[in-house]
Amino acid sequence: MVERGARTSSTVAWLARAGFADAAAAARELERPDLRELAGDEEFLRSVSHAADPDLALNTVARLLHVAPDASALSNALAEDDEFRARLLAVAGFSTALGDHLVRHPEQWHDLRRQDLTDRPDQAQVRAALGQATTADELRIEYRRWLLQLAALDLTDVLDMAPVSAELAVLAAATLDAALEMAARDLPAEAEPCRLAVIGMGKTGGAELNYVSDVDVIFVAEPVAGGNEPAALKTATTLATAMMRLCSEYTAEGTIWPVDAALRPEGKAGPLVRTVASHTAYYRTWASTWEFQALLKARYVAGDRALADEYLSAVGPLVWRAADREGFVEDVRAMRRRVTEQVRPAEADRQLKLGRGGLRDVEFAVQLLQLVHGRADESLRSPNTLDALEALIAGGYVGRADGAVLDEAYRFLRTLEHRIQLRRLRRTHVMPAQEDQLRRLARALGMRHADELTSTWRRHAMEVRRLHEKLFYRPLLSAVARLPGEEARLTPEAARQRFEALGYLDPAGALRHLEALTRGVSRRAAIQRTLLPVLLGWFADGPEPDAGLAGFRKVSDALGDTHWYLRLLRDERAAAERMARVLSSGRYATELLLRAPEAVKIFGDDAELVPRPREPLEAEASAGVPRHDDPIAAIGGVRAMRRRELFRIATADLVGRLSTQAVGDALTTVAEATLAGALETAVRAVEDDRGEPLGTRLSVIAMGRLGGREMGYASDADVLFVHDPLDGTDDQRAAESALAVANEMRRLLSAPSPEPALEIDPNLRPEGRQGPLVRTLASYAAYYARWAEVWERQALLRAAPCCGDPLLAERFMELIDPLRWPRAGLTEAQVREIRRIKARVESERLPRGADRSMHLKLGPGGLADVEWTAQLIQLRHGHAVPELRTTQTRRALDAAVDAELLAPADRDVLVEAWSMASSVRNALVLVSGRQSDVLPTDVSTLAALSRVVGYGPGAVATFLDDYRRRARRARTVVERIFFQT
């Protein structure tokens, strides 16, 4: 007894830890004879503990074993068949209704063990199976058998919401067909023959049915050829009534679902069955707007298919003319308001379907856009919500980011609705309030805690409501834009609420901007009132709507009544949308545009968003230099060219037309042209000042990111200056001339100016800051031959000609090639030195107090990690592998893979991390207007940053997780390849 008591106590403790709510009851359950063989099976018990409701799962299995005629086979299957065990316990551990059904019909456990269960049947197979039923009870049993299989696949995540809903609609159609056949068999012999079609409406018609829904239908009937119409309609009414009763009435096997024909013409007051002509006449004359909205979902489900096709062909065109009706949009909105008002106050905060941020918000927004735009675009005419949303996204009627958010939210809310209904197979759309019910629901969705479920649901509901407001009310955003005038349709408070719904953080400030933009009766104000309804929504699509609207006001004020500006935005959708995107993405591009607002023209031409090659940029810079005697004025033209090209690149980047690599290449080209213009300006200034030619050849060598063609928006220009005195020129005079040119270049490019500065950084030169700024080729050769350290060889990996004398640059490359591609590779001591320097950089250069994981350059898996890894491979093997002799990181990694020095998987990890860090680094400048290597910690900047990088609204956590995961994986590769740990 002591031993048994100790064993029982241990079992209870284990069961409690495993998640059983009543561990003592579960322990007693395990002592039942039916469970004796499974009680000692640890895998079975572990599987039970993973069920949404372990207590229910164990109890249902025990009941099933008790009644199953082949209990031994069932017990063995539960012990040996992992897939079957998962399916059975998923159902038994969550749905009390399906568990009870299984206990009533224990032979159906075999259906869950079928190897082909995941090969779902087509509609004909389901119809054939249900068509064998001869009584209402048989029909219910067969229906639940199919439902059981589907729920098992749903709860084990084999099928997600969309295919589950579609199969539920197939099952409903087959059930209606079977019930119709049963009703036909009971007709009296003297009944007049008829044709009867059942049209699915609502979720049935949309092939997106719930587990427990009213099945909405419309009945269409016609007499057979030569038949009597009134008598045929009487027969059809008898058939329809009997069919509805067979599905809806309660028997010993319960009920299936109610069949609801209230969407028919005149609703419940109208005849149950009508002819095609009667339907058409009603819709042409009497139908309300909501009835055409309902007909969006109309689809054949049972009965006479040819008749159904005739009906759909007749009413379809009427649906797509509904938007032409007077007051159409307001009718749809009024209907949505009435639906919301029907929600009981006690359930308002827990309504998944009808409440704010619920399923109806998505469905009404999608349907309104379908009815408005589907008149001309037939691709939008799907009865299925998700398919229609996908078509709206593809057609550009809904933004991709908004569409993705709506799609994800709708799928989640529908899945949540499915789980709630599966519990007891009851029609409900209300989130439970009890903690234990929420916990079971969370576990059924793969979540650990009720809090996680609640927060996820609230987040999706908030996004749905925001986007519903944005999309559903977009056609009347003109009401907000007209606030200052007498035609205002919204009070300031209502307008402020609308801005809040759209995501504006300062509604009051937004209203002030609107008033300033639309005040008065001028043509400019009138066009602004036309533009703003669309622009406000597009600003709201961006990371910073308030900044977008403020920037638009500043640009509009700067351009004044310029005739082409507002016409461009009014007539060119792409131009207006791009402008909204750029202005709402941060400070950098907006500040560039405000320095020269006429650059707005770039938005309207795709060709203007292609970065320009170096030759025309350098020619433009060179052409402007001789026009000015003052070097500052001359360099002003060069810097203006750079500002314009930076804006072009930033715009193309923000609207998604450039990859990270293409941005780096384009920025490098602009920097090269700028340096070339600065060099020419400086040479002219020094020669004019001295009254004689320089007497030396001068070349600027690109280093660092400039040499690697990987510049960022705020990168400095790392360079070396090399010169070679001309024959007959005194070496000292030549050196002074070269130094004067280099200093003049630095002065000109860093001088205060409204244009962005390009700082020249020569600190990678021999002896660093202590060494001479300019050296001769011979001096470089002497230094490198005697003093060059391994880090200098590494720095020279990125050396490339930039501007100046090309022959001198070529000779410099020939000089350094043996240094950076050493014939014998690196010695082990040199490799250790590189690793030591890298470790020292990591420990000493990181800002004090900085979070290492948030540092884009020096943090684990950051830019430096990837670049040093590539450069070590280049130094060790560049002499033997010519393809490694590149200044670009990605090309070096690709060449290392081709030479089998790096595994493709490792290359992919490194490139992915490097590309994301580079993209985020650029995005930080675009958002904040300044350079930073550290990810921000404030939520608003992070949110804007994640949006600019390409993440959707509310995806900051996903963005950070992605960055950290990629960096972590890259650091693992770096540890293994670079540090060999």
Side-chain angles (χ1 to χ4, degrees):
M1 291 296 292
V2 173
E3 290 182 2
R4 181 179 181 278
R7 187 164 59 249
T8 302
S9 175
S10 175
T11 301
V12 170
W14 185 91
L15 292 170
R17 290 194 303 273
F20 286 80
D22 190 342
R28 290 193 297 273
E29 199 83 67
L30 288 171
E31 293 181 355
R32 291 175 52 171
D34 302 314
L35 282 173
R36 188 167 296 151
E37 294 183 15
L38 292 170
D41 187 332
E42 291 186 6
E43 187 60 34
F44 170 75
L45 293 176
R46 188 177 296 109
S47 298
V48 173
S49 72
H50 291 161
D53 187 341
D55 303 78
L56 176 64
L58 188 62
N59 178 262
T60 302
V61 168
R63 293 166 58 208
L64 181 58
L65 284 167
H66 184 68
V67 299
D70 49 356
S72 179
L74 172 58
S75 181
N76 290 336
L78 282 167
E80 299 168 3
D81 190 334
D82 295 345
E83 192 171 53
F84 165 69
R85 182 172 59 250
R87 292 171 181 168
L88 179 61
L89 291 178
V91 174
F94 184 68
S95 178
T96 58
L98 288 177
D100 291 343
H101 170 79
L102 199 52
V103 171
R104 288 198 307 273
H105 304 281
E107 72 283 354
Q108 291 189 9
W109 74 263
H110 292 281
D111 291 323
L112 300 184
R113 200 182 186 190
R114 283 175 29 216
Q115 295 298 314
D116 63 345
L117 187 61
T118 55
D119 299 328
R120 302 310 298 154
D122 59 25
Q123 186 163 316
Q125 291 172 297
V126 180
R127 286 179 185 269
L130 270 72
Q132 296 176 10
T134 59
T135 68
D137 275 349
E138 289 179 4
L139 183 60
R140 281 154 176 68
I141 293 169
E142 186 64 16
Y143 175 84
R144 291 287 173 86
R145 184 170 76 86
W146 286 94
L147 202 66
L148 174 67
Q149 299 171 34
L150 187 58
L153 297 178
D154 184 2
L155 290 167
T156 53
D157 296 325
V158 174
L159 297 177
D160 62 19
M161 183 280 297
V164 168
S165 291
E167 190 163 334
L168 285 168
V170 169
L171 185 55
T175 304
L176 292 171
D177 224 20
L180 191 58
E181 289 181 11
M182 292 171 61
R185 289 197 292 268
D186 293 336
L187 280 175
E190 66 274 12
E192 178 74 15
C194 71
R195 300 170 64 200
L196 178 64
V198 184
I199 307 299
M201 301 289 283
K203 284 184 164 38
T204 307
E208 50 191 1
L209 202 59
N210 291 331
Y211 278 99
V212 187
S213 291
D214 285 356
V215 172
D216 295 309
V217 298
I218 285 177
F219 295 105
V220 186
E222 293 286 347
V224 298
N228 179 278
E229 182 177 304
L233 289 179
K234 181 178 179 181
T235 301
T237 301
T238 301
L239 285 173
T241 303
M243 187 199 79
M244 295 172 68
R245 185 179 64 252
L246 282 167
C247 295
S248 306
E249 68 182 358
Y250 280 86
T251 71
E253 290 295 335
T255 187
I256 302 178
W257 20 247
V259 179
D260 190 345
L263 291 177
R264 66 186 184 268
E266 300 181 75
K268 294 180 180 179
L272 182 63
V273 178
R274 287 177 184 256
T275 63
V276 173
S278 176
H279 276 285
T280 306
Y282 172 83
Y283 287 123
R284 288 184 185 279
T285 308
W286 304 107
S288 300
T289 296
W290 71 264
E291 293 178 277
F292 293 108
Q293 185 179 352
L295 284 172
L296 273 174
K297 302 285 188 182
R299 179 178 67 92
Y300 163 78
V301 292
D304 190 317
R305 182 182 289 274
L307 179 57
D309 291 342
E310 183 182 343
Y311 167 83
L312 294 172
S313 296
V315 302
L318 302 178
V319 173
W320 303 112
R321 289 200 293 268
D324 297 332
R325 295 159 62 99
E326 184 73 25
F328 165 78
V329 172
E330 187 50 45
D331 283 349
V332 175
R333 291 178 175 170
M335 181 64 186
R336 177 66 187 112
R337 288 193 293 271
R338 285 195 295 272
V339 169
T340 304
E341 291 165 1
Q342 292 173 7
V343 179
R344 290 189 294 179
E347 297 178 350
D349 291 338
R350 296 184 290 121
Q351 254 285 351
L352 294 175
K353 180 179 179 181
L354 305 178
R356 293 172 61 85
L359 294 164
R360 281 290 187 267
D361 271 356
V362 179
E363 292 161 358
F364 265 76
V366 168
Q367 290 163 21
L368 178 58
L369 293 175
Q370 281 184 279
L371 289 166
V372 169
H373 300 294
R375 292 169 292 176
D377 189 345
E378 294 185 5
S379 70
L380 305 181
R381 298 182 180 183
S382 171
N384 181 275
T385 301
L386 288 175
D387 290 346
L389 177 58
E390 183 180 357
L392 287 165
I393 296 169
Y397 304 101
V398 174
R400 287 189 294 271
D402 287 346
V405 171
L406 276 181
D407 182 277
E408 181 185 3
Y410 189 73
R411 290 176 188 273
F412 175 81
L413 294 173
R414 286 294 310 278
T415 302
L416 187 54
E417 183 184 46
H418 279 186
R419 294 293 188 272
I420 292 173
Q421 293 180 350
L422 258 180
R423 179 70 175 172
R424 293 184 174 86
L425 286 184
R426 292 180 181 173
R427 183 174 179 269
T428 179
H429 314 281
V430 180
M431 280 285 284
Q434 293 78 10
E435 183 70 20
D436 60 332
Q437 295 181 31
L438 286 171
R439 180 178 61 84
R440 284 193 293 266
L441 193 56
R443 286 168 64 94
L445 288 165
M447 300 178 182
R448 298 184 61 184
H449 306 294
D451 289 345
E452 181 183 358
L453 169 62
T454 302
S455 63
T456 303
W457 164 47
R458 295 294 187 191
R459 173 171 58 83
H460 282 302
M462 180 179 67
E463 288 295 331
V464 165
R465 190 59 190 181
R466 181 180 70 83
L467 292 174
H468 171 79
E469 290 281 348
K470 176 179 173 180
L471 296 173
F472 198 60
Y473 291 97
R474 176 174 286 179
L476 281 187
L477 279 175
S478 56
V480 182
R482 292 171 181 264
L483 275 173
E486 294 181 357
E487 297 179 356
R489 300 183 185 180
L490 293 176
T491 65
E493 182 57 32
R496 185 177 292 106
Q497 292 173 2
R498 180 78 75 245
F499 276 117
E500 290 173 352
L502 286 169
Y504 287 80
L505 299 179
D506 182 10
L511 286 172
R512 288 193 296 273
H513 291 313
L514 280 175
E515 183 177 11
L517 287 163
T518 60
R519 182 188 298 115
V521 295
S522 67
R523 177 175 176 79
R524 173 187 173 190
I527 296 177
Q528 293 280 26
R529 284 194 289 270
T530 302
L531 286 171
L532 281 166
V534 178
L535 287 174
L536 291 175
W538 284 338
F539 290 141
D541 288 342
E544 298 184 333
D546 301 80
L549 180 56
F552 178 71
R553 178 184 173 185
K554 291 176 183 176
V555 173
S556 297
D557 288 345
L559 290 172
D561 292 322
T562 306
H563 69 281
W564 56 264
Y565 164 62
L566 291 176
R567 187 177 65 210
L568 171 72
L569 298 183
R570 182 193 62 195
D571 298 338
E572 297 289 338
R573 172 190 169 99
E577 190 168 9
R578 287 167 179 165
M579 183 179 185
R581 171 66 180 172
V582 170
L583 293 177
S584 63
S585 291
R587 295 176 53 187
Y588 184 81
T590 301
E591 289 173 357
L592 290 174
L593 179 59
L594 290 174
R595 292 188 185 109
E598 66 277 2
V600 164
K601 293 178 180 179
I602 286 177
F603 295 127
D605 188 350
D606 287 351
E608 288 292 331
L609 294 180
V610 177
R612 299 174 67 191
R614 176 173 174 174
E615 289 75 14
L617 295 180
E618 195 166 327
E620 178 183 347
S622 179
V625 171
R627 299 173 187 165
H628 303 278
D629 294 330
D630 180 7
I632 293 295
I635 201 64
V638 177
R639 294 177 70 170
M641 175 274 295
R642 177 170 178 264
R643 183 259 312 141
R644 184 196 66 226
E645 295 308 311
L646 290 178
F647 179 68
R648 187 193 313 278
I649 296 166
T651 298
D653 188 4
L654 287 167
V655 300
R657 297 179 68 90
L658 292 179
S659 67
T660 301
Q661 187 172 353
V663 169
D665 187 73
L667 291 172
T668 301
T669 296
V670 174
E672 289 172 335
T674 302
L675 290 168
L679 176 59
E680 183 174 350
T681 305
V683 168
R684 287 177 58 87
V686 171
E687 288 180 338
D688 290 345
D689 184 59
R690 298 189 173 209
E692 59 181 358
L694 291 182
T696 187
R697 302 177 185 86
L698 183 63
S699 187
V700 180
I701 306 299
M703 300 288 284
R705 296 195 173 281
L706 178 63
R709 306 200 65 78
E710 296 163 356
M711 293 277 281
Y713 287 107
S715 294
D716 292 339
D718 294 312
V719 301
L720 300 178
F721 293 99
V722 56
H723 80 105
D724 188 31
L726 298 174
D727 292 341
T729 302
D730 176 75
D731 288 352
Q732 179 64 29
R733 186 172 66 83
E736 290 173 356
S737 296
L739 179 61
V741 170
N743 282 326
E744 180 68 357
M745 283 183 67
R746 299 176 70 186
R747 182 185 77 87
L748 291 173
L749 289 176
S750 61
S753 166
E755 309 299 340
L758 176 64
E759 296 290 341
I760 291 178
D761 186 347
N763 291 333
L764 291 176
R765 66 187 185 269
E767 301 176 81
R769 295 180 180 178
Q770 306 305 316
L773 180 62
V774 183
R775 287 179 182 260
T776 63
L777 191 66
S779 176
Y780 276 106
Y783 175 86
Y784 287 136
R786 185 173 183 182
W787 303 107
E789 298 186 23
V790 68
W791 71 265
E792 292 175 293
R793 296 170 182 260
Q794 183 180 351
L796 289 171
L797 287 172
R798 291 192 164 198
C802 178
C803 57
D805 190 292
L807 294 178
L808 179 58
E810 183 177 345
R811 291 168 61 196
F812 184 84
M813 294 298 112
E814 292 172 355
L815 167 67
I816 65 172
D817 278 350
L819 294 168
R820 55 182 178 172
W821 320 122
R823 183 163 299 179
L826 294 179
T827 65
E828 284 303 311
Q830 288 173 322
V831 172
R832 286 195 299 272
E833 176 64 6
I834 290 176
R835 290 172 179 155
R836 185 191 67 79
I837 295 172
K838 177 70 168 70
R840 181 178 175 185
V841 168
E842 291 182 1
S843 63
E844 295 181 2
R845 293 194 181 177
L846 200 69
R848 180 176 299 178
D851 182 349
R852 291 177 59 84
S853 69
M854 302 285 273
H855 203 284
L856 299 167
K857 182 177 180 180
L858 301 178
L863 296 170
D865 266 2
V866 177
E867 291 163 2
W868 281 60
T869 300
Q871 290 161 14
L872 181 59
I873 295 173
Q874 289 179 283
L875 286 168
R876 299 183 76 174
H877 303 285
H879 66 288
V881 182
E883 291 77 10
L884 283 171
R885 301 172 195 173
T886 175
T887 63
Q888 298 182 35
T889 303
R890 291 190 62 166
R891 286 189 179 180
L893 293 172
D894 289 341
V897 170
D898 293 339
E900 299 183 350
L901 300 171
L902 183 68
D906 289 339
R907 182 269 315 275
D908 293 344
V909 168
L910 293 174
V911 167
E912 190 176 60
W914 184 87
S915 297
M916 185 169 189
S918 298
S919 176
V920 172
R921 201 183 195 205
N922 280 340
L924 268 170
V925 179
L926 291 172
V927 169
S928 65
R930 57 186 176 83
Q931 174 72 48
S932 176
D933 288 325
V934 181
L935 283 169
T937 55
D938 65 287
V939 176
S940 60
T941 305
L942 265 178
L945 178 63
S946 68
R947 294 292 304 280
V948 170
V949 172
Y951 287 76
V956 171
T958 303
F959 159 67
L960 289 176
D961 288 346
D962 284 353
Y963 174 76
R964 286 168 173 155
R965 182 180 68 254
R966 293 178 186 180
R968 185 169 59 249
R969 292 174 63 198
R971 181 63 181 191
T972 301
V973 174
V974 171
E975 292 280 0
R976 174 163 42 82
I977 294 175
F978 182 90
F979 290 107
Q980 292 189 350
T981 57

